[in-house]
Every structure is written in structure tokens, then in C-alpha cells.
Amino acid sequence: MNLNSPFMAFDIEMIKAVYDKMPARVEAARSVVGKPLTLSEKILYTHLWDGEAREAFERGNSYVDFAPDRVAMQDATAQMALLQFMQAGKDKVAVPSTAHCDHLILAKEGASNDLKDSLTASGEVFNFLESVSNKYGIGFWKPGAGIIHQVVLENYAFPGGMMIGTDSHTVNAGGLGMVAIGVGGADAVDVMAGMAWELKFPKLIGVKLTGRLNGWTSAKDVILKVAGILTVKGGTGAIVEYFGDGAESLSATGKGTICNMGAEIGATTSTFGYDDSIERYLRATDRSDVADLANNVRTHLTGDAEVYANPEQYFDQVIEINLDELEPHINGPFTPDRATPVSKMRAEAEANDWPTKVEWGLIGSCTNSSYEDLARASSIAKQAVDKGLKTKADFGINPGSEQVRYTADRDGLIGIFEDLDAKIFTNACGPCIGQWARTGADKQEKNTIIHSFNRNFSKRADGNPNTHAFVTSPEMVAAIAISGDLGFNPITDTLTNDKGEQVKLEAPVGDELPAKGFAVEDNGYKAPASDGSGIEVVVKSDSKRLQLLAPFQPWDGKNITGAKLLIKAFGKCTTDHISMAGPWLRFRGHLDNISDNCLIGAINAFSQETNKVKNQLSGEFGAVPATARQYKAAGVPSIVVGDHNYGEGSSREHAAMEPRFLGVKAVLVKSFARIHETNLKKQGMLGLTFATEADYDKIQEDDTINFVDLIDFAPGKPLTLEFVHTDGSKDTIMANHTYNEAQIGWFKAGSALNLIKAEAAKK
Ligand code: MIC
Ligand code: SF4
């Protein structure tokens, strides 16, 4: 282990401590549960806050306190997380934590210019993150170091550990056998402040993988297929545990990619048992000491044999996928669960009138540009060069980390892409999060792009609602970018080369790990000061990018009455609809400014329009944020109504803080995505669900809303709301909630942070 590496002594001691306690905790859990255990249970029980195994928790229902081992934050969410942490009254983080600058970097011309421009444009934010990290003992990864999840996989993830991160794709670390969960910043504050972290004990979905990937099929296709089976809601409240021979045959980064996109099916997280491929990856990334420690407790780092032999008895749901038969998939457009096997794409596209001419192929996003991915995709690019083909679509690549980029460059992979005129963007999120200066996007033309990212919600990559974005494996992105045709099936189809000949692309090949080992000159890490007490964190009062937080007001103890309906959102309302990313990322540290994007992407159920709602005070129609600000100024509370899986997608707590800041008191929906529901609770909002879904239809545009029994707010007791219509009639609607005693405390205090502050002040 290299002492200058970011992997500090602090971590190895922490990992030892986890492995020391694991055997006894697993044994105790096995005896109280009274049956063999899945891997997920072993990790969860090992990380119980009080360490006390007790009778089986009710899966999907019991709130349980956990003690995660570490925290990771990315720049776009770290700002809010750390602005909150600064208020928690602590000198230092209680567990190893890192901040990663990856989201705020534009993709335009290519890495060197783009990175320079982004350093200028977002320097204030990067400096803020660097100085807060330095002060509070947080490891800092500077812009260009890589995408948080690739960097975590390379440096911090370890089998059997538990981590949380302020990004929904934190789940990526499941690829190394962790239970890694995406959360809002307020949850991260709990753990960094040394407090317990609460989660509903998850349900368990087992995915048995048999066979072996072959030909054009890649790890990405496993999750594209699973997404098709489970849909964007099917994993809600569950850990997806992969096992079987097929699982063991996958590379560690491939496993990471599968776990990663578990976020797209709403899963709490996904994980794989420790095996040889994970061990190989640990050793290849300079962590032989971790592999040795893991080998000592190897049997605890995977599910019990009985579980995997009879999974139906131990998991709530079991899915089986035979990798021998799995076809490459392309998912989309507009939702990541619309799964189409490559062989059916042409017919699907024609039937649905999706443009088949592909304008851009993009490789990147989390671990979708690992060394293995770049190696396999470059093998396709190389064939194109050798066979006299050019890309018909534009082609761009964001390597996953500087270590991956440097190594891929040394091994000639980057050069191959460049021979094909690909643009190499920064080691960062780039187009995946809308940080893409795509020429012509403002014309809003109907067009198709294909990428290896996870998400393809409307407007996500380039802001154009008419861009049809499709998700596929990196190697398939390369093939389709070369053909320029969404319907191209490389398994059967040929392409015409510069001599007019018909040529075929052979199936991709590529090393799982670099034969000559990984290398890097500057990995981009900056260790924090050992004593940060003298460091001053400066936030300028006139800054447009950063704003210190003012506490939200506590509940006044009264029923909320006379509230107005701000918007009844129709259909899909993801966090991208509630708090758009792209250009708005620049305000992630400034609550007032970013609130101007509040719900601007949500579809108004009464008009099917976006960002146009009725202001009940003036009778006029206006933008959602402006209307909310008018209600707030008039002292009128408001509420938001929504459909199913409201708040799907990202972990960004801005989607909860903005409405809170703008005076919204409650969000009443058919169902919530997990992270968003917690974020609402943490920020002192009421997150409620219709007891009778059909009541959604009763809500009218001019409604005034009164809570009838909020003063009796108690766990397990539904709330009663009156919707008074303009004709004087009213509907009484029952709303369920999942608040426990402590969470009701957050609501009463105005936010969870207000409680932490009050505690800190007592000491
Ligand atoms: C995303 O992929 O949507 C993001 C950007 O990484 C988000 C976090 C964010 O909104 O900052 C996520 O997935 O949590
Ligand atoms: Fe970044 Fe995209 Fe991964 Fe989110 S999904 S962390 S935006 S690369």
C-alpha cells in the first residue's frame, strides 16, 4: 500500500474493525433470524448501530439505525451537504469521508480546454469544497480526478462494508460487495456528525445469473434487461443481490455497472458476493492488504450456500437470467426501463417513429467507462479504422477517472478513439448530467443520441425535450456511432466502407484489467489537514453560487389551513423535473437562486403544460417558482400533488429544499421514490401518499386545502385533508405517511438539522 495514496491508515483500521466484528455479528444474526443469511443481511446486521441482533426486522417496514463506514459526496450535492454540516457544530467528520469534483465540468471542445473553462466558471465552488474538506477532515478529489463512483470503486469500496453517498449512484460500490446507498445531504450530515443513520430494513430481490457473457453482450445488458423486467419502480425498497456462476464470471467494474443502474429501478442498492474477480480488482488497484483481510472472512462476504441453492426461500422475489442467452439491449427513449433487444430495435423505432439517424454516440457515466469498457469499445473503434469505416455520428468519451484515462492512454486505447475522430472529454460526468454544450440543441429538433449513461429522462443530456436518448453498453455505443443508425445490429448487419465494400464488425474484445497494471501521474487527490481548526471557510455574502443556510421555521403546532394547490403534477415527475440539472447545477450551493427552477419541468395535470400554473390569489397563470414566491410573500401555505414514483432519480435534496424554501408545506402523491421521501422528511416537509389513489382525480386547480388533524400527527395514523373546491363543495381525503416518532420530531423542529443544532448547542 502506497502511503501517499488516498487510501489512508484511517481506512485500513476501519476495514479491520469491520472484519473483526463481522463473524460474531453474522453468527448472532443467523441465530436470531433462525435461518441461513443472504449477503445483504450479513452486511446490514454487521452495521447495526447498537450491534444488537434481534428478531428479524420486518423487511420493507421496520426503520433500523445503522452505522455506515464511510461517506462520499459529489460537488453538486456536497455543497448543500457541507453547508448543512457546517451548521452541525462539529470539528471533524466522524467517519472517513470524501468530496469529488465531477458534476460541474462542461463537455464542449475536449478535456484540456473544458477543464480550464470549468475551473474558471466554478472556481468559487471548487475552492469552497476544498476548504471545507480541508477544515473538517474530508478527502478532496479535484476537478478532473474522475467520476465519484469510479474513484470510490478504485480507492474506497471494500467487500462487506456499508457506505452512504450523496448521489443516487453511490450504489455502484455494490460491485465490490458493499451495501452502498444513495442519500440526501442531510443523511450524510448525520453520519459525518457521528450519529446513527436510519433506513427501512430493505426487502430482498435475488438475481441468479447463470451462463457467461459472450459475443456482443456486456455487463450493462444484464441491468438493461433487469430494468426491463422490474421497471423504474420494481426495485423500490429492496436490495438486489446477484449471485450464481454467471455473477462470478463478471468483472468487478462490470458488477459495479450493474449495481449502478439499480438506481434506475428504484432499488435501495444492489450487491455481489466477494469472489475472485473482486479480489483481482482490489489487488490491481493497489489494495492487496484489503484483499488479504477480506480473505480471512471470505465466507461472511457472500450469501450462505443454502440461500443461493434455494433462493425462493430466502428472497422476497427471485429473477433468473441466463447470460448465455442474453442479447445486447438498447433502452429508451425517455425512460431507462423501456428495454429493446438490439435485434428488435429497427422495428420498434419504425413503429414508434423514433428517428433512426443517430447524431451522437457518447461513452461515459459512472463506471461505464472503466478500463474494460474502454478496451472493448476501442476494439470496435480499431476495427472501424482498419476496415476503412468512419463514424457517421459524432462520438465523445468521458473516461471514468484519471487513473483509467492515463492507463488507457498509455495502452493506446485513447489513441484509437482519436483516430476515429472521437472527442475525449474530461474525466467527469459531462453530458450525463447535462453539462454538455451541444451545438444546436437550442433548436429543439427531434433527434436521436445513444449513450452508455444510466438516465435518459427528457432534456437530461442536452436540454432538448425532443432528443431521443437511448442507453446501451459502451461497445454498442461505438458500433452504433460508427453506423449512425439506431436499427443497426452488429451481430447480423454489415456496413459499407470507404471502398464501397460490405464489412462486418466482429464482437468486441478487451482486457478486464490492464495487463501492465494501472498507472497514473497525478490522481487528483488532496488529503485534508490533520488539524483544520485554523482554516476559515469563506462564503461571500453577495455570491451568486453559494449562500449560507438559514434555518427553516419550526412547525407552529397548528393545523395547516387555507393552503393553495401549487401544482398537480401529471405522470412522470423525477428529480430532473423538480430541480433540473444542466445549467442549474451552478446554483446547487445557493438555495434562493436554485429555487427558481422549482418544478419547472413538472407537467401541470390541468393543462399538460410545463411551468405554468394558476395563481389563485391573482387568477393569473405564471411560472411555478414565481407563483410559489407570491404565495410565500402573502403568507399563504401551498401544497404539491403528484403521481406515482414521485421524485424518482437523483438524490439531490434541492428537490425537497426548494419547495420547502418556497413555502410548500406538503407533497401528496400516489407513491414516492425512497430517497426523495426521506429528503422531504429531513427538511421538515410533509411527504404524504393518497390512501385511495383515485382521490388524485378529485383535486382541482382552484382548491384550498385544510389539514383536519395534523395536531394529532402520530406514527401509523393517516392524516385527513379537506380539499375545498371553488363551488363550495369539498372532498375529504385520507393521506397515509411513514413518519416514525423521530421523523415527526424533524417535522416539528422544522428540519432534522434544526434538531442536530439544538443538541450540539446543549453540549
Ligand atoms: C444524477 O445522475 O442524476 C446525479 C446528478 O448524479 C444525481 C445527483 C445530483 O443531482 O447531483 C444523482 O443521481 O443523485
Ligand atoms: Fe455523474 Fe452521470 Fe454518474 Fe450521476 S449518473 S454520477 S451525473 S456520471
Side-chain angles (χ1 to χ4, degrees):
M1 170 70 39
N2 167 7
L3 287 181
N4 296 322
S5 98
F7 194 76
M8 300 165 290
F10 193 9
D11 295 284
I12 199 80
E13 290 310 319
M14 176 268 280
I15 295 173
K16 269 194 201 136
V18 172
Y19 290 163
D20 281 350
K21 68 185 172 195
M22 195 162 201
R25 291 208 176 176
V26 169
E27 204 35 66
R30 212 182 268 122
S31 72
V32 287
V33 175
K35 49 181 185 181
L37 297 179
T38 59
L39 167 65
S40 311
E41 288 166 300
K42 292 182 187 180
I43 301 178
L44 292 171
Y45 276 103
T46 299
H47 290 86
L48 290 180
W49 175 252
D50 60 8
E52 289 292 317
R54 63 200 69 135
E55 71 284 1
F57 297 112
E58 199 189 329
R59 291 182 189 173
N61 254 331
S62 325
Y63 276 104
V64 180
D65 280 345
F66 290 102
D69 304 314
R70 58 176 313 127
V71 174
M73 295 161 282
Q74 42 89 343
D75 50 2
T77 50
Q79 298 171 60
M80 210 38 99
L82 294 173
L83 283 165
Q84 293 177 81
F85 183 75
M86 284 165 65
Q87 309 232 333
K90 303 281 169 187
D91 299 335
K92 217 178 178 56
V93 288
V95 301
S97 305
T98 47
H100 303 255
C101 299
D102 56 356
H103 282 60
L104 298 175
I105 299 161
L106 200 68
K108 188 175 176 192
E109 290 167 20
S112 62
N113 285 347
D114 295 351
L115 186 57
K116 255 187 256 136
D117 290 351
S118 302
L119 288 174
T120 314
S122 293
E124 181 186 0
V125 170
F126 297 139
N127 290 339
F128 166 75
L129 292 175
E130 188 172 341
S131 70
V132 186
S133 299
N134 203 10
K135 180 169 180 68
Y136 294 107
I138 299 169
F140 178 75
W141 290 82
K142 68 184 188 191
I147 302 170
I148 175 169
H149 310 302
Q150 175 70 40
V151 172
V152 166
L153 204 77
E154 280 171 8
N155 296 281
Y156 302 123
F158 68 99
M162 184 188 223
M163 70 178 280
I164 60 165
T166 60
D167 188 282
S168 62
H169 293 109
T170 304
V171 295
N172 190 292
L176 281 197
M178 280 194 115
V179 161
I181 301 181
V183 297
D187 282 42
V189 170
D190 289 350
V191 178
M192 293 190 294
M195 295 166 22
W197 173 69
E198 185 190 61
L199 176 75
K200 259 196 210 157
F201 201 89
K203 289 185 280 178
L204 301 176
I205 298 177
V207 180
K208 179 171 183 181
L209 300 179
T210 60
R212 252 191 121 84
L213 294 175
N214 55 77
W216 280 87
T217 314
S218 93
K220 181 82 164 184
D221 295 304
V222 175
I223 187 61
L224 294 177
K225 172 84 185 171
V226 170
I229 297 171
L230 286 175
T231 78
V232 289
K233 298 198 295 249
T236 306
I239 297 189
V240 183
E241 182 168 324
Y242 292 85
F243 60 94
D245 301 348
E248 289 178 24
S249 72
L250 300 167
S251 69
T253 44
K255 290 180 170 97
T257 287
I258 293 173
C259 293
N260 201 59
M261 240 187 115
E264 276 49 65
I265 53 168
T268 301
T269 191
S270 308
T271 194
F272 280 83
Y274 180 52
D275 60 15
D276 293 349
S277 79
I278 297 181
E279 182 174 348
R280 282 197 297 279
Y281 191 73
L282 284 172
R283 296 196 190 280
T285 48
D286 198 16
R287 288 175 291 169
S288 281
D289 46 1
V290 180
D292 293 340
L293 289 174
N295 285 343
N296 295 335
V297 287
R298 205 166 173 121
T299 54
H300 301 304
L301 298 176
T302 188
D304 287 342
E306 298 88 324
V307 169
Y308 293 159
N310 299 297
E312 296 74 19
Q313 291 175 25
Y314 303 95
F315 290 100
D316 300 292
Q317 183 182 352
V318 178
I319 294 172
E320 188 165 335
I321 296 175
N322 182 348
L323 302 182
D324 288 334
E325 292 162 7
L326 183 65
E327 237 197 275
H329 276 66
I330 299 180
N331 288 20
F334 304 120
T335 185
D337 57 352
R338 182 161 189 169
T340 306
V342 165
S343 60
K344 309 232 162 51
M345 192 34 125
R346 184 169 312 283
E348 268 297 286
E350 277 163 14
N352 290 288
D353 199 22
W354 300 331
T356 50
K357 178 170 183 294
V358 176
E359 310 285 341
W360 269 91
L362 295 156
I363 293 178
S365 182
C366 304
T367 45
N368 293 284
S369 47
S370 64
Y371 184 86
E372 182 184 35
D373 289 326
L374 295 185
R376 287 171 60 87
S378 69
S379 80
I380 304 301
K382 173 107 181 40
Q383 291 181 52
V385 177
D386 293 348
K387 295 181 185 181
L389 295 164
K390 290 216 155 44
T391 48
K392 294 226 174 79
D394 286 316
F395 193 18
I397 295 161
N398 288 87
S401 69
E402 174 58 13
Q403 171 159 287
V404 164
R405 191 209 61 79
Y406 187 95
T407 312
D409 193 29
R410 177 201 67 192
D411 295 350
L413 310 182
I414 301 282
I416 298 173
F417 290 122
E418 283 167 343
D419 289 344
L420 210 55
D421 281 342
K423 278 215 164 81
I424 309 297
F425 296 125
T426 316
N427 314 315
C429 304
C432 179
I433 190 53
Q435 292 285 62
W436 186 23
R438 181 179 178 193
T439 322
D442 50 334
K443 291 196 210 122
Q444 308 225 331
E445 281 162 352
K446 186 169 171 181
N447 77 100
T448 288
I449 63 173
I450 189 147
H451 59 56
S452 65
F453 309 162
N454 307 287
R455 299 202 167 129
N456 54 352
F457 303 137
S458 169
K459 298 191 192 172
R460 178 162 169 112
D462 63 359
N464 172 1
N466 302 316
T467 291
H468 290 51
F470 292 86
V471 182
T472 193
S473 66
E475 40 274 62
M476 195 58 70
V477 170
I480 295 205
I482 292 163
S483 71
D485 173 11
L486 184 66
F488 175 66
N489 178 358
I491 302 170
T492 50
D493 302 349
T494 54
L495 295 167
T496 313
N497 73 3
D498 53 6
K499 299 200 195 72
E501 300 155 346
Q502 290 301 300
V503 293
K504 217 163 161 272
L505 296 173
E506 302 304 325
V509 288
D511 289 340
E512 169 192 273
L513 294 164
K516 287 189 256 163
F518 282 109
V520 66
E521 251 165 32
D522 173 7
N523 64 8
Y525 178 72
K526 189 168 171 284
S530 46
D531 175 6
S533 54
I535 295 162
E536 211 198 327
V537 177
V538 197
V539 173
K540 287 197 247 114
S541 59
D542 61 350
S543 168
K544 300 223 164 7
R545 303 286 303 263
L546 296 163
Q547 180 186 44
L548 293 174
L549 289 172
F552 292 131
Q553 288 305 305
W555 179 48
D556 62 5
K558 301 195 195 114
N559 275 320
I560 297 166
T561 53
K564 299 295 180 193
L565 178 73
L566 176 61
I567 183 169
K568 173 168 159 179
F570 170 81
K572 210 174 185 56
C573 192
T574 71
T575 45
D576 280 340
H577 297 80
I578 307 172
S579 175
M580 201 190 165
W584 290 94
L585 284 181
R586 67 188 190 283
F587 295 132
R588 283 290 184 85
H590 197 295
L591 185 54
D592 197 346
N593 285 348
I594 199 163
S595 293
D596 282 335
N597 80 359
C598 185
L599 284 155
I600 60 176
I603 299 171
N604 180 347
F606 302 104
S607 61
Q608 301 295 315
E609 287 177 298
T610 51
N611 203 19
K612 196 166 167 200
V613 289
K614 184 160 180 184
N615 178 334
Q616 294 189 44
L617 303 178
S618 64
E620 278 163 20
F621 284 82
V624 184
T627 308
R629 284 187 194 272
Q630 282 156 4
Y631 288 144
K632 183 179 175 184
V636 175
S638 56
I639 90 161
V640 168
V641 168
D643 219 310
H644 271 300
N645 209 19
Y646 182 89
E648 163 190 351
S650 150
S651 66
R652 63 190 76 140
E653 63 201 323
H654 306 76
M657 295 179 90
E658 294 174 26
R660 175 80 171 99
F661 178 74
L662 295 177
V664 176
K665 302 289 179 206
V667 179
L668 172 63
V669 299
K670 292 186 188 166
S671 63
F672 281 112
R674 174 188 61 88
I675 307 181
H676 186 63
E677 184 179 15
T678 307
N679 286 344
L680 288 171
K681 290 178 177 177
K682 285 250 140 127
Q683 301 301 337
M685 289 269 263
L686 291 168
L688 310 173
T689 52
F690 287 101
T692 308
E693 267 177 29
D695 283 350
Y696 172 91
D697 300 326
K698 294 185 180 156
I699 288 155
Q700 297 174 19
E701 195 164 27
D702 290 307
D703 282 351
T704 300
I705 302 110
N706 302 316
F707 280 74
V708 176
D709 50 9
L710 185 61
I711 40 178
D712 305 321
F713 193 16
K717 185 174 171 298
L719 291 170
T720 317
L721 280 76
E722 258 177 19
F723 282 77
V724 185
H725 312 306
T726 35
D727 64 2
S729 67
K730 68 178 178 201
D731 280 299
T732 301
I733 286 177
M734 299 308 292
N736 292 336
H737 67 82
T738 59
Y739 287 73
N740 59 23
E741 214 50 83
Q743 296 167 343
I744 291 177
W746 304 342
F747 167 71
K748 290 185 173 162
S751 71
L753 183 61
N754 285 351
L755 277 185
I756 301 181
K757 272 170 77 171
E759 280 303 312
K762 278 193 216 146
K763 286 182 190 147

